[in-house]
Amino acid sequence: MFRCIPYVEAMQEEWDRIAFAHGTVYHSVSFRHILIRTFGYRCLYQAVVDEAGRVQALIPLVAGRNLSMKKAGVSLPFINYLDICAASDEAREYAFAELPRLRETYGLDYIELRLKEQRIEETGWTADERNCTFVLQLSEDEETVLGRSSSSNRNHVRKVYKKDEFDVSFDSANLPAFYEVYVRRMKQLGSPAPDIRYFEAFFEWLPKHSHLLTVFDKAAQRVIGGMLLVTSPTDRTVYYPYGANLTEYNGKYLNNYMYWEAVRFGIRGGYDYLDLGRSPIGSGTYKYKEQWGAIPVPLRYMTYTGLARAHSAPDKESLQLFIDLWKRTPSFITNPVGKRLIKYLLP
């Protein structure tokens, strides 16, 4: 009834039809362009087609090497989760069943799926369930949304607006200034940052869905924080995949201001949800997002190796020495090196 075939450019219209009918903006061909052209990953996208040759399910998959130089197929790097997109349950199950064959066909050491709603029951898969994403339900009434958060968070939001020290902009021309803040914050956290070309690619390939929220210090007239927001019309969600702020403003509740401006952006756009992104269970960011009244949704990172010995990506614990070293290494070294290294983290 079904067969699995490699994606070709002639499928773009049919592929995007399924993506925007049953998936998210991240399933689209445009996001494939962002990943392939920025990082040079090998494209292994597959389409499940029916007897008439019509696309019925999507398997977005890119191949690269991780830090251990193992060949990985990931759906998708730089994305917190991506359930298999399909027009029917039967097509979805067929897509899942094809993955072991794809690993063998393309000589991959492992395949990793990052799932939210779905799970894989077949043998041979291992699950990592240490992370959650946080989903905040929006409403036409701002006070209703704010009322779901903790009393201390409500107080901080109201206080930061009363002081009136910040201003917000949605001008994408602020991207270079935001990027400087982002790179600085990533280094403080011990993580390399992608080249600015990655962020620029969002506005090139997803111009209707990419929005740069930046915050200015009114007195200093400089960008002190920001968020890249990605809107997905199918699931009525605003995604927050990247953001950063200058930590010296933490005492002035800059984060509360940024998050609330993202909430207001989603409400103005008529979206139902604001996805606040991935956090390890029990972490500081987990607790911070929880106080907004956002619901933690467990994520399942499923890995298939086809071997007795796993070859999945190194976890944070095994990278701790690298993280500590990155924090201490001068920026003139980490900034250029990080742009080349980030692709091997398959983050």
Side-chain angles (χ1 to χ4, degrees), residues 12-50:
Q12 179 174 345
E13 184 176 346
E14 189 76 353
W15 181 286
D16 279 346
R17 181 184 65 80
I18 296 294
F20 285 104
H22 303 283
T24 72
V25 68
Y26 293 123
H27 288 91
S28 70
V29 171
S30 292
F31 192 71
R32 169 186 175 272
H33 285 299
I34 292 174
L35 289 177
I36 303 302
R37 300 201 177 193
T38 304
F39 301 105
Y41 293 127
R42 181 185 175 197
C43 177
L44 300 183
Y45 276 41
Q46 306 285 314
V48 173
V49 299
D50 60 19

Short mmCIF file of all heavy atoms in Angstrom, two decimals, residues 12-50:
data_model
loop_
_atom_site.label_atom_id
_atom_site.label_comp_id
_atom_site.label_asym_id
_atom_site.label_seq_id
_atom_site.Cartn_x
_atom_site.Cartn_y
_atom_site.Cartn_z
N GLN A 12 8.32 19.28 -3.58
CA GLN A 12 8.20 20.37 -2.60
C GLN A 12 6.76 20.77 -2.32
O GLN A 12 6.36 20.89 -1.15
CB GLN A 12 8.99 21.59 -3.06
CG GLN A 12 8.86 22.76 -2.07
CD GLN A 12 9.75 23.93 -2.44
OE1 GLN A 12 10.66 23.81 -3.24
NE2 GLN A 12 9.48 25.08 -1.84
N GLU A 13 5.97 21.00 -3.34
CA GLU A 13 4.59 21.44 -3.13
C GLU A 13 3.78 20.40 -2.38
O GLU A 13 3.04 20.72 -1.44
CB GLU A 13 3.93 21.75 -4.48
CG GLU A 13 2.53 22.31 -4.35
CD GLU A 13 1.92 22.69 -5.69
OE1 GLU A 13 2.67 22.78 -6.68
OE2 GLU A 13 0.69 22.91 -5.74
N GLU A 14 3.92 19.14 -2.78
CA GLU A 14 3.19 18.06 -2.11
C GLU A 14 3.68 17.86 -0.68
O GLU A 14 2.89 17.62 0.23
CB GLU A 14 3.36 16.77 -2.93
CG GLU A 14 2.48 15.61 -2.49
CD GLU A 14 1.03 15.76 -2.92
OE1 GLU A 14 0.65 16.81 -3.45
OE2 GLU A 14 0.29 14.81 -2.69
N TRP A 15 4.99 17.95 -0.48
CA TRP A 15 5.58 17.81 0.86
C TRP A 15 5.03 18.90 1.78
O TRP A 15 4.57 18.61 2.90
CB TRP A 15 7.11 17.91 0.76
CG TRP A 15 7.82 17.76 2.07
CD1 TRP A 15 7.89 18.69 3.08
CD2 TRP A 15 8.55 16.62 2.53
NE1 TRP A 15 8.63 18.21 4.14
CE2 TRP A 15 9.04 16.94 3.83
CE3 TRP A 15 8.86 15.38 1.98
CZ2 TRP A 15 9.84 16.05 4.57
CZ3 TRP A 15 9.64 14.48 2.72
CH2 TRP A 15 10.11 14.82 4.00
N ASP A 16 5.07 20.15 1.34
CA ASP A 16 4.61 21.25 2.18
C ASP A 16 3.11 21.19 2.42
O ASP A 16 2.62 21.66 3.47
CB ASP A 16 5.00 22.59 1.57
CG ASP A 16 6.44 22.97 1.87
OD1 ASP A 16 7.05 22.33 2.76
OD2 ASP A 16 6.96 23.90 1.22
N ARG A 17 2.38 20.63 1.48
CA ARG A 17 0.93 20.46 1.70
C ARG A 17 0.67 19.59 2.92
O ARG A 17 -0.18 19.92 3.77
CB ARG A 17 0.28 19.85 0.45
CG ARG A 17 -1.23 19.65 0.58
CD ARG A 17 -1.80 18.95 -0.64
NE ARG A 17 -1.30 17.59 -0.79
CZ ARG A 17 -1.75 16.54 -0.12
NH1 ARG A 17 -2.72 16.70 0.78
NH2 ARG A 17 -1.25 15.34 -0.32
N ILE A 18 1.39 18.48 3.03
CA ILE A 18 1.24 17.61 4.19
C ILE A 18 1.79 18.29 5.45
O ILE A 18 1.19 18.24 6.52
CB ILE A 18 1.97 16.27 3.95
CG1 ILE A 18 1.33 15.50 2.79
CG2 ILE A 18 1.97 15.41 5.22
CD1 ILE A 18 -0.08 15.04 3.06
N ALA A 19 2.94 18.97 5.32
CA ALA A 19 3.57 19.62 6.46
C ALA A 19 2.64 20.64 7.11
O ALA A 19 2.48 20.67 8.34
CB ALA A 19 4.88 20.27 6.04
N PHE A 20 2.02 21.48 6.29
CA PHE A 20 1.19 22.55 6.84
C PHE A 20 -0.24 22.10 7.13
O PHE A 20 -1.00 22.83 7.77
CB PHE A 20 1.20 23.76 5.90
CG PHE A 20 2.49 24.54 5.97
CD1 PHE A 20 3.43 24.44 4.96
CD2 PHE A 20 2.77 25.33 7.07
CE1 PHE A 20 4.63 25.14 5.03
CE2 PHE A 20 3.97 26.04 7.15
CZ PHE A 20 4.90 25.95 6.14
N ALA A 21 -0.59 20.90 6.70
CA ALA A 21 -1.91 20.36 7.03
C ALA A 21 -1.87 19.52 8.30
O ALA A 21 -2.83 19.51 9.08
CB ALA A 21 -2.46 19.53 5.88
N HIS A 22 -0.74 18.82 8.53
CA HIS A 22 -0.69 17.85 9.63
C HIS A 22 0.52 18.03 10.55
O HIS A 22 0.64 17.30 11.53
CB HIS A 22 -0.67 16.42 9.07
CG HIS A 22 -1.83 16.11 8.18
ND1 HIS A 22 -3.09 15.83 8.66
CD2 HIS A 22 -1.91 16.04 6.82
CE1 HIS A 22 -3.90 15.59 7.64
NE2 HIS A 22 -3.22 15.71 6.51
N GLY A 23 1.40 18.96 10.26
CA GLY A 23 2.62 19.10 11.05
C GLY A 23 2.85 20.50 11.56
O GLY A 23 1.91 21.19 11.98
N THR A 24 4.09 20.93 11.51
CA THR A 24 4.47 22.26 11.97
C THR A 24 5.35 22.93 10.92
O THR A 24 5.72 22.31 9.91
CB THR A 24 5.27 22.18 13.29
OG1 THR A 24 6.58 21.65 13.01
CG2 THR A 24 4.57 21.29 14.31
N VAL A 25 5.69 24.17 11.17
CA VAL A 25 6.56 24.89 10.24
C VAL A 25 7.92 24.21 10.11
O VAL A 25 8.57 24.30 9.07
CB VAL A 25 6.70 26.36 10.70
CG1 VAL A 25 7.48 26.45 12.01
CG2 VAL A 25 7.34 27.22 9.63
N TYR A 26 8.33 23.47 11.14
CA TYR A 26 9.63 22.80 11.10
C TYR A 26 9.63 21.59 10.17
O TYR A 26 10.69 21.10 9.79
CB TYR A 26 10.05 22.37 12.50
CG TYR A 26 10.35 23.53 13.42
CD1 TYR A 26 9.66 23.67 14.63
CD2 TYR A 26 11.31 24.47 13.09
CE1 TYR A 26 9.94 24.73 15.48
CE2 TYR A 26 11.59 25.54 13.93
CZ TYR A 26 10.90 25.66 15.13
OH TYR A 26 11.17 26.72 15.95
N HIS A 27 8.47 21.08 9.82
CA HIS A 27 8.38 19.98 8.85
C HIS A 27 8.57 20.47 7.41
O HIS A 27 8.75 19.66 6.51
CB HIS A 27 7.03 19.27 8.94
CG HIS A 27 6.85 18.42 10.16
ND1 HIS A 27 6.31 18.90 11.33
CD2 HIS A 27 7.16 17.12 10.40
CE1 HIS A 27 6.27 17.93 12.23
NE2 HIS A 27 6.77 16.84 11.69
N SER A 28 8.50 21.76 7.20
CA SER A 28 8.47 22.30 5.84
C SER A 28 9.82 22.16 5.14
O SER A 28 10.87 22.02 5.77
CB SER A 28 8.06 23.77 5.88
OG SER A 28 9.10 24.56 6.45
N VAL A 29 9.76 22.25 3.82
CA VAL A 29 10.98 22.20 3.02
C VAL A 29 11.88 23.40 3.33
O VAL A 29 13.11 23.29 3.27
CB VAL A 29 10.62 22.16 1.52
CG1 VAL A 29 11.86 22.33 0.65
CG2 VAL A 29 9.93 20.84 1.18
N SER A 30 11.29 24.52 3.69
CA SER A 30 12.08 25.71 3.99
C SER A 30 13.05 25.48 5.14
O SER A 30 14.20 25.93 5.10
CB SER A 30 11.17 26.89 4.30
OG SER A 30 10.45 27.29 3.15
N PHE A 31 12.60 24.76 6.18
CA PHE A 31 13.52 24.51 7.29
C PHE A 31 14.61 23.54 6.88
O PHE A 31 15.74 23.61 7.38
CB PHE A 31 12.79 23.99 8.53
CG PHE A 31 13.67 24.01 9.74
CD1 PHE A 31 14.02 25.21 10.33
CD2 PHE A 31 14.19 22.84 10.27
CE1 PHE A 31 14.87 25.25 11.43
CE2 PHE A 31 15.03 22.87 11.36
CZ PHE A 31 15.37 24.08 11.95
N ARG A 32 14.32 22.65 5.94
CA ARG A 32 15.36 21.79 5.37
C ARG A 32 16.47 22.64 4.75
O ARG A 32 17.65 22.39 4.95
CB ARG A 32 14.74 20.86 4.33
CG ARG A 32 15.75 20.08 3.48
CD ARG A 32 15.02 19.31 2.39
NE ARG A 32 15.96 18.66 1.49
CZ ARG A 32 16.48 19.23 0.40
NH1 ARG A 32 16.16 20.49 0.09
NH2 ARG A 32 17.32 18.58 -0.37
N HIS A 33 16.08 23.66 4.00
CA HIS A 33 17.06 24.55 3.39
C HIS A 33 17.93 25.23 4.45
O HIS A 33 19.14 25.38 4.28
CB HIS A 33 16.36 25.61 2.54
CG HIS A 33 15.83 25.10 1.24
ND1 HIS A 33 16.64 24.57 0.26
CD2 HIS A 33 14.56 25.05 0.75
CE1 HIS A 33 15.90 24.21 -0.78
NE2 HIS A 33 14.65 24.49 -0.50
N ILE A 34 17.31 25.64 5.55
CA ILE A 34 18.06 26.31 6.62
C ILE A 34 19.14 25.39 7.17
O ILE A 34 20.30 25.79 7.33
CB ILE A 34 17.10 26.75 7.74
CG1 ILE A 34 16.18 27.87 7.24
CG2 ILE A 34 17.89 27.22 8.97
CD1 ILE A 34 15.11 28.27 8.23
N LEU A 35 18.81 24.14 7.44
CA LEU A 35 19.77 23.20 8.02
C LEU A 35 20.86 22.79 7.04
O LEU A 35 22.05 22.80 7.37
CB LEU A 35 19.03 21.95 8.51
CG LEU A 35 18.16 22.09 9.74
CD1 LEU A 35 17.45 20.77 10.04
CD2 LEU A 35 18.96 22.53 10.96
N ILE A 36 20.44 22.46 5.84
CA ILE A 36 21.41 21.96 4.86
C ILE A 36 22.38 23.05 4.44
O ILE A 36 23.60 22.83 4.38
CB ILE A 36 20.68 21.39 3.62
CG1 ILE A 36 19.69 20.28 4.02
CG2 ILE A 36 21.68 20.88 2.60
CD1 ILE A 36 20.30 19.12 4.74
N ARG A 37 21.86 24.23 4.17
CA ARG A 37 22.72 25.30 3.65
C ARG A 37 23.57 25.94 4.73
O ARG A 37 24.65 26.45 4.43
CB ARG A 37 21.85 26.33 2.95
CG ARG A 37 21.08 25.72 1.78
CD ARG A 37 20.64 26.76 0.78
NE ARG A 37 19.97 26.10 -0.35
CZ ARG A 37 19.70 26.71 -1.49
NH1 ARG A 37 20.05 27.96 -1.68
NH2 ARG A 37 19.08 26.05 -2.47
N THR A 38 23.10 25.94 5.98
CA THR A 38 23.91 26.55 7.04
C THR A 38 24.99 25.60 7.54
O THR A 38 26.12 26.01 7.76
CB THR A 38 23.01 26.97 8.22
OG1 THR A 38 21.98 27.85 7.75
CG2 THR A 38 23.83 27.69 9.28
N PHE A 39 24.64 24.32 7.71
CA PHE A 39 25.55 23.40 8.37
C PHE A 39 26.12 22.32 7.44
O PHE A 39 27.01 21.57 7.85
CB PHE A 39 24.84 22.73 9.55
CG PHE A 39 24.35 23.71 10.57
CD1 PHE A 39 23.02 24.03 10.66
CD2 PHE A 39 25.24 24.36 11.42
CE1 PHE A 39 22.56 24.95 11.59
CE2 PHE A 39 24.80 25.27 12.34
CZ PHE A 39 23.46 25.58 12.43
N GLY A 40 25.62 22.24 6.22
CA GLY A 40 26.17 21.27 5.30
C GLY A 40 25.82 19.84 5.63
O GLY A 40 26.52 18.91 5.20
N TYR A 41 24.73 19.63 6.39
CA TYR A 41 24.31 18.26 6.67
C TYR A 41 23.89 17.56 5.38
O TYR A 41 23.49 18.20 4.40
CB TYR A 41 23.13 18.24 7.64
CG TYR A 41 23.44 18.71 9.04
CD1 TYR A 41 22.69 19.71 9.64
CD2 TYR A 41 24.47 18.12 9.77
CE1 TYR A 41 22.95 20.12 10.93
CE2 TYR A 41 24.74 18.53 11.06
CZ TYR A 41 23.98 19.54 11.64
OH TYR A 41 24.24 19.95 12.91
N ARG A 42 23.95 16.24 5.40
CA ARG A 42 23.48 15.42 4.28
C ARG A 42 21.97 15.22 4.41
O ARG A 42 21.48 14.80 5.46
CB ARG A 42 24.21 14.09 4.30
CG ARG A 42 23.85 13.13 3.16
CD ARG A 42 24.57 11.81 3.39
NE ARG A 42 24.19 10.80 2.41
CZ ARG A 42 24.41 9.51 2.59
NH1 ARG A 42 25.02 9.08 3.68
NH2 ARG A 42 24.04 8.64 1.66
N CYS A 43 21.23 15.52 3.38
CA CYS A 43 19.78 15.43 3.44
C CYS A 43 19.32 14.00 3.16
O CYS A 43 19.59 13.45 2.09
CB CYS A 43 19.14 16.39 2.44
SG CYS A 43 17.35 16.26 2.39
N LEU A 44 18.61 13.42 4.13
CA LEU A 44 18.05 12.07 3.95
C LEU A 44 16.53 12.11 4.09
O LEU A 44 15.92 11.12 4.50
CB LEU A 44 18.64 11.10 4.99
CG LEU A 44 20.15 10.91 4.97
CD1 LEU A 44 20.56 9.87 6.01
CD2 LEU A 44 20.63 10.48 3.59
N TYR A 45 15.92 13.25 3.78
CA TYR A 45 14.46 13.35 3.87
C TYR A 45 13.82 12.25 3.02
O TYR A 45 14.25 11.98 1.90
CB TYR A 45 13.99 14.70 3.37
CG TYR A 45 14.04 15.82 4.40
CD1 TYR A 45 15.12 15.93 5.27
CD2 TYR A 45 13.02 16.76 4.49
CE1 TYR A 45 15.18 16.95 6.20
CE2 TYR A 45 13.07 17.78 5.41
CZ TYR A 45 14.15 17.88 6.26
OH TYR A 45 14.19 18.89 7.19
N GLN A 46 12.77 11.65 3.59
CA GLN A 46 12.05 10.57 2.91
C GLN A 46 10.56 10.88 2.91
O GLN A 46 10.03 11.45 3.87
CB GLN A 46 12.27 9.23 3.62
CG GLN A 46 13.72 8.86 3.83
CD GLN A 46 14.39 8.38 2.57
OE1 GLN A 46 13.84 7.57 1.83
NE2 GLN A 46 15.60 8.89 2.32
N ALA A 47 9.89 10.48 1.84
CA ALA A 47 8.44 10.63 1.74
C ALA A 47 7.79 9.26 1.68
O ALA A 47 8.26 8.37 0.95
CB ALA A 47 8.07 11.44 0.50
N VAL A 48 6.74 9.08 2.45
CA VAL A 48 5.93 7.87 2.35
C VAL A 48 4.81 8.18 1.37
O VAL A 48 4.02 9.12 1.58
CB VAL A 48 5.36 7.47 3.72
CG1 VAL A 48 4.38 6.31 3.57
CG2 VAL A 48 6.48 7.09 4.67
N VAL A 49 4.73 7.42 0.28
CA VAL A 49 3.73 7.68 -0.75
C VAL A 49 2.81 6.48 -0.89
O VAL A 49 3.18 5.33 -0.56
CB VAL A 49 4.41 8.00 -2.11
CG1 VAL A 49 5.28 9.25 -2.00
CG2 VAL A 49 5.23 6.82 -2.61
N ASP A 50 1.60 6.75 -1.36
CA ASP A 50 0.62 5.68 -1.56
C ASP A 50 0.75 5.10 -2.97
O ASP A 50 1.67 5.45 -3.72
CB ASP A 50 -0.80 6.17 -1.28
CG ASP A 50 -1.22 7.33 -2.19
OD1 ASP A 50 -0.60 7.51 -3.26
OD2 ASP A 50 -2.18 8.04 -1.83
#
